[in-house]
Amino acid sequence: MINVGIIGATGYSGAELTRLLYSHPDVTINFLCSNSYFGEEFSSVYPNFRKFIDEKCINIHEAFDRLSNIDVLFTALPSGKAIEFGKRAIDNGVKLIDIGSDFRLKDKSLYKEWYKLEHTYPDLLTKAVYGLPEINKDAIKTANLVANPGCYPTASSLALIPLVKNHMIDVSSIIIDAKSGVTGAGRKATTGNLFVECNESIKAYGVTTHRHTPEIEQTLSTVANEEITLTFTPHLVPMNRGILAVCYGNLNKHYKLEDLMKLYKDFYKDSYFVRIIDELPETRFVKDSNFCDISLRIDERTNRVIVVSAIDNLIKGAAGQAVQNMNIMFGLDETKALKITPIFA
Amino acid sequence: MINVGIIGATGYSGAELTRLLYSHPDVTINFLCSNSYFGEEFSSVYPNFRKFIDEKCINIHEAFDRLSNIDVLFTALPSGKAIEFGKRAIDNGVKLIDIGSDFRLKDKSLYKEWYKLEHTYPDLLTKAVYGLPEINKDAIKTANLVANPGCYPTASSLALIPLVKNHMIDVSSIIIDAKSGVTGAGRKATTGNLFVECNESIKAYGVTTHRHTPEIEQTLSTVANEEITLTFTPHLVPMNRGILAVCYGNLNKHYKLEDLMKLYKDFYKDSYFVRIIDELPETRFVKDSNFCDISLRIDERTNRVIVVSAIDNLIKGAAGQAVQNMNIMFGLDETKALKITPIFA
Amino acid sequence: MINVGIIGATGYSGAELTRLLYSHPDVTINFLCSNSYFGEEFSSVYPNFRKFIDEKCINIHEAFDRLSNIDVLFTALPSGKAIEFGKRAIDNGVKLIDIGSDFRLKDKSLYKEWYKLEHTYPDLLTKAVYGLPEINKDAIKTANLVANPGCYPTASSLALIPLVKNHMIDVSSIIIDAKSGVTGAGRKATTGNLFVECNESIKAYGVTTHRHTPEIEQTLSTVANEEITLTFTPHLVPMNRGILAVCYGNLNKHYKLEDLMKLYKDFYKDSYFVRIIDELPETRFVKDSNFCDISLRIDERTNRVIVVSAIDNLIKGAAGQAVQNMNIMFGLDETKALKITPIFA
Amino acid sequence: MINVGIIGATGYSGAELTRLLYSHPDVTINFLCSNSYFGEEFSSVYPNFRKFIDEKCINIHEAFDRLSNIDVLFTALPSGKAIEFGKRAIDNGVKLIDIGSDFRLKDKSLYKEWYKLEHTYPDLLTKAVYGLPEINKDAIKTANLVANPGCYPTASSLALIPLVKNHMIDVSSIIIDAKSGVTGAGRKATTGNLFVECNESIKAYGVTTHRHTPEIEQTLSTVANEEITLTFTPHLVPMNRGILAVCYGNLNKHYKLEDLMKLYKDFYKDSYFVRIIDELPETRFVKDSNFCDISLRIDERTNRVIVVSAIDNLIKGAAGQAVQNMNIMFGLDETKALKITPIFA
């Protein structure tokens, strides 16, 4: 059995992670830590867990004390908050999977530029393996510290990697226009996230400034082996879950759609969680699953390719991918406890 | 392995049943039959099933031919459409679980009155066991024909049974005001069920005339051992899933809330899927699960009791309860493949 | 021109009131006061008002200073917060319309019991006229202080008044099961009102304890001329606007539906904003309007009447009714600036 | 008074047009024609109109007969269906405003290519004036046939015109990623538009093939005085109303954001319905209004400009713009009956 601890268990991603790990046959949850709700029963914070998890959330100090009891620590925290936990876990020989954003960027100056924070243990940035199993599985197998990708970067990178790796598009032309459900905004009580303020409306936000931009660029630059700068525009959509990423790029020459489709199918043939499909993806068809559905279109009139991908932001975009990474790190099949049929409604 | 066939697999209940049975370790799905989509791949009708079920839907004639290959037939069809299938299944020694409404009422004249249809095999009404496991488990164990309860009747009956069985309320005072998500209206393309017509609105419908009324009355009358006539009002709520039933009754004498709560907890102590809770139920906390959450309040000023119950209409109100019934009929633990933590969002 | 001031202009009701008054041809808005946003432009708090109202919100002290410049003060504030304003307005010869709950109950002990607050100027409770124009128009005409009815009480009282006034139902049997959109919960940032927490779910809340209960009882008791105690259950529905009230009562004898419908049509024949209709009301058909749609059904099997009413909670349930009251108080046609066709979507 | 007739009054755009014209002080509605609902009262098809419009819908033959009674005919019909009406209206000296797509494209071969229909009166394409008042007001004044712009083209063109007219972007780089509420899909009962199928999901559709593409290109090519080919991607968002268009283009040189903002403000200084704003537009802030909110951002890292525009697809994207055009054609102020404060919720 893998003994796990979760810090930040009462955020949306943390709660979803708890749900997935709870039903994982090889996992024992040792503790759930919550800064906001410590001392309260987990099932009183998330009453869907009644009859499943009635244990109380513990605080950070207790979590530190219990580090020696666990094999892997999951952190699901706001920016900057997981660094210290990461350091302690690694120092104690405990593996770390950070669902947040504290170990994703390799370059500490980029971290400072986009997150407005000084990274206190930049050496951990070097040690961290970026947990996108579809391209990094071998490194994840032996990693002690896995930086779980962001939700938008997961959808965007999986959509674009085969094209940029094969140098088929002009990388200076890449535009990603992505749309997310409101769980992506987290559970903090703000006026902007109230039902009435989000319902019956759509907006773009963080245009040209969203922190997931350098993360996507880092991934694509690495696979392309050249520096990529791109435009990324996120949106808030009145639904709970789901991300749809629509990615545009100018093709370097003329391609047939069927050839691109074949390229994608081949590229992802060993990636269980990527489904290359003919129809345009819709977020409802990946809901509650770890799948990323991808399809392509060529705009013949402009010789532009359009890649559309859909994920559940809380699963493949957060908690599910974290479990997938854990499976790989502990020598299990990556699909263990994750072969969930999506719920269409 | 239990070999199953599903007729009406492409309706919302049928698709949900298919999803649950697909992940059931003791079940093999022999066929999926659909009048609307036969010849089409199931995963093209419900693309969430891609990588899971790519088999084609068969038509009714093929389904008849394959009856001998299966142990149990599930029918999920509009009123009147399952009768013939039920007859054939039973005649061929195949067990039947009807998710529809064709075998729920014991009295064929009631069937005619409320469904405006003549029941062609009224003897099957007598044979059929009403599949509410919380009160009928023993009969279900040996049943060949199980009538799976309606969604509203499941939520309403579970809420009221302990009170009426113990004669604690004036049964002439029962009012059930229930609210359902739009999956309850089925997948037929009608103007009234369009997104724009349902979104941002609530309505009552079928006031005094809804077909689930006699079904609830039959169940409550049986447990009370007296004739009960009640008022039932359903509503359509702009959400996909969930039923909330708010049930009112005048208490026959003064009770303490804690005593009623204890009565309910005792009554359902062996019913895994009923959770008696202190807080008022919300449909989101049973979503995607087979649970029925129930809580009570006493209105001291009027000496009225208010019982609130919440289910997922497609699971405990349809497909999940059908699997629960199948488990019982085939000697499995009733919770097999159904111990699903609800999804809160 | 009528000079008005609004205190609490940046809550949902206050903003809606501002919108209605802004387009009223006989009204000049003298000030918008907001405790939360003073010093900020109104159109930055509610950007829909861009090009319409770019003035800054003022604070409470400025509002007091400007009392002498206005003819009528509107208060749209949480419980207890409008009492002092009411006192000052009345003392300064300024008419007051309170959209909140501080002057609705006649009995200060009821106010204390349900609102957990001591009323500091109970004599104003006596002076206040309950602003339900359909039954109180004459008193409103000459009133200096109008207590604008609550949203649930408006829908519920209009639905039941003709029956209780004519002693056609057993008043001890009255149950009101009402459902509201989320604007009813106000604009305060709380976890419970976040999009993700309200979306795709329905819940009952405040069962047996909601503060609108004594208000409805007071209105119905007055028209019935007997003490009425009833059960009231509110619900939160995932939509922005709208209240649907479903009201149950045992008929004192047998009535024909057509006679009840005629009674209602006669009763409300001079009430422009009440539409007695054959079809069951849906909240979408009164959206953005001051209408209250009402229909009735008789449950012959139990001799129970079911009255269903629908309003827009922010309009007829708050801001629209306040304008209607203002029109009456200032000798205008009550429909002035309120003959708005509802928006169906 | 302007006498108007509406053909296609019971679609979503037609109903919205009816609502706006009904409250227009200079307009008399002579007839409402509906192929689907002729003989039925308009207020039974759209019950929000109760007390306003109880007249029955007429059929097409009656509409033809009444042509001589009206000054202007509005057609709100599916592609190909308005051509014959347009011909008859023009031949009878009646002005025509077509909300549909039958007179928007100047080039009949483009019409055939994108609409898969032969245009039977191509000379009318030449006569028709494209009804985007912000750039065509003078021509609209004297027009007999106005082609009301599509919803996506309205939002997209207003967002891009100042940039392309001033040759500030590389026109080969234009990408428009637009998102629409479900009213845009019309009122036809199809499975794809059911509540359950649209709710809690987002999808792109018609990628590279949407019929609004050549319409946007035609408008932008005209103002730029060069041939423009662009990529347009529409999406369906789970909300009733609203379009958000996010438009990307590579800047031809370096510009300051403040200079671009100033350019837009100057360009639209006489256009009441365009609001150039600093904040990013959200569709909720233009709901139920004829406004188009626009803001810009420069992505310094890629020297790309991002223009975001928001409209109510049924108002500025259809019915409101049609009334604006009528006002201009009949010598009224273009804002007559359209100075509506948007509703934020």
Side-chain angles (χ1 to χ4, degrees), chain D residues 176-188:
Chain D
I176 301 166
D177 190 288
K179 299 91 184 171
S180 173
V182 186
T183 48
R187 209 193 189 198
K188 207 179 157 205

Side-chain angles (χ1 to χ4, degrees), chain A residues 9-62:
Chain A
T10 55
Y12 290 142
S13 294
E16 196 66 358
L17 179 63
T18 302
R19 190 174 66 85
L20 294 175
L21 289 174
Y22 181 83
S23 67
H24 194 301
D26 297 345
V27 166
T28 300
I29 297 177
N30 187 284
F31 64 79
L32 301 175
C33 171
S34 166
N35 200 36
S36 315
Y37 296 100
F38 77 85
E40 296 186 39
E41 292 175 6
F42 190 71
S43 61
S44 74
V45 184
Y46 285 96
N48 50 316
F49 281 96
R50 280 181 201 122
K51 271 205 176 162
F52 293 96
I53 304 181
D54 295 323
E55 282 79 9
K56 288 182 179 167
C57 298
I58 64 171
N59 66 22
I60 288 165
H61 306 292
E62 288 181 85

Side-chain angles (χ1 to χ4, degrees), chain B residues 132-148:
Chain B
L132 192 61
E134 284 71 20
I135 55 166
N136 266 353
K137 199 181 290 184
D138 284 342
I140 295 164
K141 279 179 187 167
T142 57
N144 289 316
L145 197 177
V146 164
N148 209 57

